[in-house]
Amino acid sequence: MLDIKQVRLDPQAIAGALSKKEYTFDVAEFEALDALRKQADINSQNLLAERKKASKQVGELIKSGIGVDDAKAQVNESLAKIETELEALKHQAKEANDALDHLLMAVPNLPADEVPAGKDEASNIEVLRWGEPRNFDFDAKDHVDVGENLGGLDFEVATKITGSRFAVMRGGLARMHRALIQLMLDTHTLEHGYQEVYVPYMVNAESLRGTGQLPKFEADLFKLQGDSGYYLIPTAEVPVTNLYRNTIVEPTELEQGLRFTCHTPCFRSEAGSYGRDTRGMIRQHQFEKVELVQFVRPSESDAALEALCGHAEAILQKLNLPYRKVILCGGDLGFSARKTYDLEVWLPGQSAYREISSCSNFGDFQARRMLARWRNPETGKPELLHTLNGSGLAVGRTLVAILENYQQADGSLSVPTVLQRYMGGITQLKVGEF
């Protein structure tokens, strides 16, 4: 959520900054609502002054010759009228404040100055490439054909069990999926200084408002029926970031580092994405992800983003998967993000780089919605934290990349060296072994 003081200071500048995100901020609506709120507050202050004055009039009325009972009755009548008017003004002020909150909750974060302009992913700028795509001496298949030929990937059965955009994995492929999770968690906890956490897979609406999924993106969520008001998580970002909702962190905690990694399933309705990536495991309703979340001082968040992105890159490098890093343009930037790097892995079956991780700096946008703060030792006062998160990595898409990059001419699949110790020393998955 944007700082309303900053918006009031120069709403036109805010509108200009948000235009980089292809978002139109309604300055007139904001100023009209803010004027209503301000006028209601002014009227309330005036009435409070009248009430204070009226309460002192009993003695003056008695001095003028009015009886005590009549004086009290007259003053009480005036006070009752003022109280009625005050209640009405309080209601008006609350309505105006609620309308302002509703407006600002739907306004995206401001992009960082260095974010490039552009309407969509075509304007994203490549920062680096790592690794060389493999030259195959046979026609490379996509992950669906490789996995089905091995007998370890089954979309037909998943459709029977549930519906489209789900997958069943068997045998060595299911084991490799599990091995990837273990590799990611071990790397981030043992090498990168993250603390592993286990969190609920269901969250309440307040948690989703805190990270920015609500109210704007409810159609992308799975909401449970009944009176619980719970939603299935679209990403571990939601429960992990909300660990510090309504919390004031002491400086010593920040010095130790608030870095968390978490493996969870993720559930997304993929509203509005029909017709895109319907084949295979690229875009599913249920998938696994190892998430990275950091809470830092505002002065440290830019450097923290570079470090966090490097932690996600380390997994791709361990697996020897070619990838590129791009900075997202304004039009492709997420709702809550002020700056995002996407990591895109090379998929020979598509002859294209495809997203496997997004690493974002949210500034104080989420922290303001959640009241996640730290105590500044110089002032002794609470200030908003900065939050960051990224996939380290999306497990299903990593498996897709291995299926396509490590496929062999005879239909078998080589096991990346770094995964072999997690798979009991297996070096190859062969057709017919499932």
Side-chain angles (χ1 to χ4, degrees):
M1 191 172 184
L2 299 182
D3 184 352
I4 193 170
K5 294 179 181 177
Q6 184 183 7
V7 180
R8 283 174 181 147
L9 188 64
D10 194 344
Q12 291 294 346
I14 297 297
L18 288 171
S19 67
K20 185 187 277 189
K21 273 193 168 184
E22 300 295 313
Y23 180 87
T24 301
F25 178 58
D26 194 332
V27 174
E29 182 182 9
F30 170 79
E31 291 182 332
L33 289 173
D34 202 36
L36 283 174
R37 176 210 57 80
K38 184 177 180 180
Q39 191 58 53
D41 286 345
I42 291 171
N43 292 343
S44 294
Q45 292 300 317
N46 290 339
L47 278 174
L48 287 171
E50 284 187 37
R51 184 175 68 177
K52 185 176 181 180
K53 182 179 178 181
S55 63
K56 296 179 179 179
Q57 288 180 335
V58 175
E60 295 175 6
L61 289 171
I62 293 172
K63 288 179 182 178
S64 68
I66 298 176
V68 173
D69 291 340
D70 288 340
K72 288 182 178 180
Q74 188 173 328
V75 169
N76 286 339
E77 183 179 349
S78 296
L79 288 173
K81 183 179 178 182
I82 290 172
E83 289 297 335
T84 300
E85 292 176 358
L86 271 174
E87 283 301 313
L89 284 172
K90 285 179 183 178
H91 182 70
Q92 290 177 20
K94 184 179 185 305
E95 282 189 334
N97 275 315
D98 288 348
L100 270 175
D101 284 344
H102 181 74
L103 173 68
L104 291 177
M105 287 290 275
V107 175
N109 198 2
L110 300 175
D113 292 339
E114 62 269 27
V115 168
K119 291 185 177 182
D120 53 37
E121 61 184 16
S123 297
N124 294 342
I125 296 176
E126 185 175 301
V127 177
L128 63 82
R129 289 194 183 199
W130 186 92
E132 289 294 330
R134 173 184 166 192
N135 289 318
F136 291 84
D137 55 7
F138 60 93
D139 290 335
K141 298 181 175 66
D142 73 2
H143 70 282
V144 176
D145 290 336
V146 176
E148 289 181 340
N149 185 55
L150 281 168
L153 194 57
D154 196 327
F155 297 99
E156 186 176 341
V157 168
T159 300
K160 179 182 70 173
I161 295 170
T162 308
S164 61
R165 298 200 177 189
F166 292 90
V168 168
M169 285 176 274
R170 293 188 174 97
L173 212 57
R175 185 175 186 178
M176 182 177 286
H177 186 269
R178 174 163 52 90
L180 283 168
I181 295 165
Q182 195 64 56
L183 168 68
M184 294 173 192
L185 290 173
D186 282 354
T187 300
H188 297 317
T189 56
L190 301 177
E191 298 179 24
H192 300 152
Y194 289 81
Q195 180 185 50
E196 183 177 353
V197 291
Y198 172 85
V199 294
Y201 300 161
M202 296 180 286
V203 292
N204 54 36
E206 190 174 356
S207 293
L208 288 158
R209 279 192 292 270
T211 46
Q213 280 78 14
L214 287 180
K216 191 173 179 64
F217 302 104
E218 186 160 15
D220 295 324
L221 304 169
F222 285 111
K223 185 175 183 180
L224 302 185
Q225 293 184 345
D227 299 327
S228 67
Y230 295 156
Y231 295 79
L232 295 177
I233 60 170
T235 165
E237 168 199 350
V238 179
V240 178
T241 308
N242 274 275
L243 289 173
Y244 286 88
R245 171 155 50 92
N246 297 322
T247 299
I248 299 174
V249 175
E250 296 302 327
T252 51
E253 292 181 77
L254 279 178
E255 289 169 8
Q256 295 168 1
L258 295 179
R259 292 181 172 185
F260 302 97
T261 186
C262 184
H263 160 245
T264 66
C266 306
F267 307 92
R268 297 183 185 177
S269 73
E270 294 293 348
S273 66
Y274 295 99
R276 298 173 57 200
D277 299 316
T278 54
R279 177 175 166 84
M281 295 177 63
I282 295 295
R283 195 178 297 274
Q284 295 201 298
H285 292 308
Q286 174 186 310
F287 59 96
E288 311 278 311
K289 194 146 63 81
V290 171
E291 195 75 3
L292 305 174
V293 174
Q294 293 193 27
F295 302 83
V296 300
R297 298 176 183 86
S299 61
E300 299 170 347
S301 66
D302 289 339
L305 176 61
E306 303 299 325
L308 185 147
C309 193
H311 299 151
E313 290 178 68
I315 304 298
L316 291 168
Q317 293 174 11
K318 282 176 179 285
L319 293 166
N320 198 28
L321 291 171
Y323 69 92
R324 69 174 193 157
K325 175 181 177 181
V326 300
I327 182 171
L328 299 194
C329 70
D332 202 28
L333 202 58
F335 177 81
S336 298
R338 69 184 301 269
K339 182 179 179 181
T340 296
Y341 291 116
D342 269 7
L343 301 179
E344 299 177 348
V345 68
W346 175 252
L347 297 183
Q350 297 186 22
S351 295
Y353 287 96
R354 297 300 305 271
E355 178 201 336
I356 196 168
S357 174
S358 282
C359 301
S360 299
N361 181 359
F362 303 104
D364 60 13
F365 187 81
Q366 292 179 328
R368 182 171 289 103
R369 296 165 79 104
M370 296 188 304
L371 286 180
R373 295 164 291 174
W374 70 293
R375 194 178 305 282
N376 189 329
E378 295 181 3
T379 63
K381 296 180 179 180
E383 297 178 9
L384 293 171
L385 287 161
H386 278 200
T387 60
L388 306 97
N389 83 271
S391 303
L393 302 163
V395 183
R397 292 194 180 192
T398 308
L399 184 63
V400 166
I402 291 173
L403 284 166
E404 296 199 8
N405 283 277
Y406 281 83
Q407 62 181 294
Q408 303 302 310
D410 63 357
S412 65
L413 183 72
S414 294
V415 177
T417 303
V418 73
L419 286 183
Q420 292 173 12
R421 67 189 180 95
Y422 292 102
M423 296 187 65
I426 296 174
T427 61
Q428 192 176 56
L429 302 182
K430 298 179 180 180
V431 177
E433 288 187 342
F434 291 82

